Amino acid sequence: MPTAVSLFSGCGGSDAGIIRVGFDVLMANDILPYARDVYLANHAETDYRLGDVASIDTFPSAELLVGCYPCQGFSQGGVRKPDNKINKLYLEFARALTQVKPKSFIVENVSGMVRKNFLHLLEDQIKVFSEVGYRVRAEVLNAADFGVAQERRRIFIVGLREDLGLDYQFPTPTHGPDRGHPYCNIQQAIGDLPEWPEGEFYARKFHWYYLSRDRRRDWGKLSKTIVANPRHMPLHPMSPPLHKLEHNVWRFAYEGRARRFSYREAARLQGFGDLVFPDTKAGSLDMRYTVVGNAVPPPLFEAVARALPDVWD
Ligand SMILES: C[S@@+](CC[C@H](N)C(=O)[O-])C[C@H]1O[C@@H](n2cnc3c(N)ncnc32)[C@H](O)[C@@H]1O
């Protein structure tokens, strides 16, 4: 089995993807206690180190390094601060890369990084990783194109160690019109789950900001992006449709029961299957949504890892 080390591992979306490819994840790390709890409830065999990545002095040697450092600084929804300290966490990834020198690495981040005012940060990451000794490629991929029932565009940065003499080729989309398979829709992903899972969804009222755009998609469609903030979680299709009243003002077409996706449905729509959510002290409702919304859809990460050349011993 080829080996991997994972940083910024969260509840294990990226790692579930590489485990499906056949990697043995030797070590994972995150600062969030509930991310660790969920990860270990699903992959008990991994050595999960809880804490700030900066406090890890030595990383095990491995053939693949993966890391999805946080993205608040670039995210479409959050306040964009290009020079926020959180945007420097890629230097921690570069520190691990320099030490481990794996044959390959994979990084995922929000696609907002390709916007003009953040491009310098992306370019800096590519430069730093190239200087460590990697041929680096970056591309924005949509999870829907790889069988996930959700529109989720993310940037992937993949490196192959210089001495391998190879360039990485991103995978070709497998799902969607004129491809091998149709898109996977909301019905297929969550249609078998209970209609009103009391206690498993964020039930506060829909405030003006929530109703400033269309938050609902029908059963036969792809889901809107699953986010980490439960307040902004898209509507379940059992909810009445939203109609536009005026610019940035939407209203339910008729009175009826309406709710956001539950955290369990969000995990399915991220392509996790039935993720185990342990009832630990850190496992508040909000935190369940946070770890799921932060995750990389496993099938998308799997597709990127499967496209790596076979350079493993
Ligand atoms: C985009 S999420 C990663 C999601 C994960 N790859 C997955 O697929 O589930 C970024 C993660 O970085 C973690 N993080 C932020 N700052 C950190 C730090 N200083 N040390 C370790 N982890 C950190 C966050 O808690 C969050 O879980």
Side-chain angles (χ1 to χ4, degrees):
M1 255 184 166
T3 52
V5 165
S6 161
L7 303 179
F8 309 99
S9 319
C11 70
S14 40
D15 296 11
I18 59 171
I19 288 168
R20 287 180 197 174
V21 177
F23 283 89
D24 180 12
V25 183
L26 301 179
M27 190 211 103
N29 161 254
D30 204 281
I31 204 163
L32 263 190
Y34 194 61
R36 185 257 333 251
D37 297 348
V38 174
Y39 190 115
L40 289 178
N42 292 278
H43 307 285
E45 64 288 353
T46 301
D47 171 17
Y48 199 108
R49 306 205 196 152
L50 183 67
D52 188 345
V53 63
S55 67
I56 303 178
D57 291 331
T58 49
F59 304 89
S61 64
E63 289 162 288
L64 174 68
L65 181 67
V66 302
C68 312
Y69 28 83
C71 47
Q72 278 85 338
F74 324 100
S75 82
Q76 318 277 357
V79 184
R80 299 191 194 116
K81 297 182 192 147
D83 295 314
N84 196 331
K85 188 170 158 234
I86 207 146
N87 294 334
K88 299 287 177 196
L89 282 172
Y90 69 88
L91 295 176
E92 287 298 325
F93 185 83
R95 178 173 69 88
L97 192 64
T98 309
Q99 197 189 100
V100 178
K101 274 298 194 104
K103 288 180 175 157
S104 177
F105 73 82
I106 308 175
V107 161
E108 178 260 17
N109 218 306
V110 289
S111 56
M113 218 198 282
V114 295
R115 283 166 183 239
K116 214 168 137 203
N117 46 339
F118 300 106
L119 210 53
H120 69 284
L121 283 166
L122 174 62
E123 285 164 357
D124 198 42
Q125 289 165 54
I126 293 174
K127 180 170 169 276
V128 167
F129 302 151
S130 304
E131 281 170 4
V132 177
Y134 288 83
R135 289 195 192 177
V136 183
R137 294 280 179 276
E139 198 162 304
V140 173
L141 302 176
N142 189 345
D145 294 339
F146 296 90
V148 178
Q150 181 199 160
E151 278 183 18
R152 189 181 187 92
R153 285 163 55 78
R154 292 291 184 265
I155 191 164
F156 283 81
I157 308 173
V158 180
L160 289 171
R161 210 171 57 202
E162 208 43 82
D163 61 286
L164 297 170
L166 297 166
D167 289 312
Y168 177 75
Q169 304 289 331
F170 279 92
T172 310
T174 48
H175 291 66
D178 300 327
R179 296 179 185 145
H181 309 270
Y183 284 134
C184 182
N185 63 35
I186 301 175
Q187 171 73 43
Q188 290 166 303
I190 64 164
D192 61 319
L193 295 180
E195 193 175 278
W196 198 260
E198 199 66 54
E200 295 193 350
F201 59 88
Y202 185 84
R204 299 238 185 115
K205 69 176 203 194
F206 306 110
H207 47 68
W208 69 267
Y209 180 73
Y210 191 83
L211 296 173
S212 68
R213 60 193 73 176
D214 191 4
R215 304 281 184 173
R216 182 185 175 280
R217 290 270 174 84
D218 275 326
W219 282 109
K221 302 275 192 227
L222 289 164
S223 167
K224 294 169 94 71
T225 303
I226 297 300
V227 292
N229 182 339
R231 279 193 300 159
H232 301 160
M233 185 56 55
L235 282 172
H236 187 284
M238 65 154 311
S239 315
L242 284 169
H243 285 173
K244 188 172 183 174
L245 281 190
E246 56 188 84
H247 181 61
N248 285 345
V249 182
W250 293 69
R251 288 286 173 272
F252 286 108
Y254 49 86
E255 293 230 344
R257 297 215 294 179
R259 68 169 178 87
R260 297 167 178 86
F261 285 124
S262 71
Y263 63 84
R264 242 179 252 291
E265 291 159 346
R268 283 268 195 101
L269 292 166
Q270 284 273 58
F272 269 105
D274 288 325
L275 194 64
V276 176
F277 292 91
D279 291 324
T280 58
K281 212 171 112 201
S284 64
L285 180 68
D286 282 24
M287 199 41 84
R288 290 170 194 235
Y289 276 112
T290 298
V291 298
V292 168
N294 270 342
V296 188
L300 178 57
F301 213 83
E302 177 184 349
V304 173
R306 271 197 203 286
L308 289 167
D310 187 4
V311 290
W312 325 112
D313 291 330

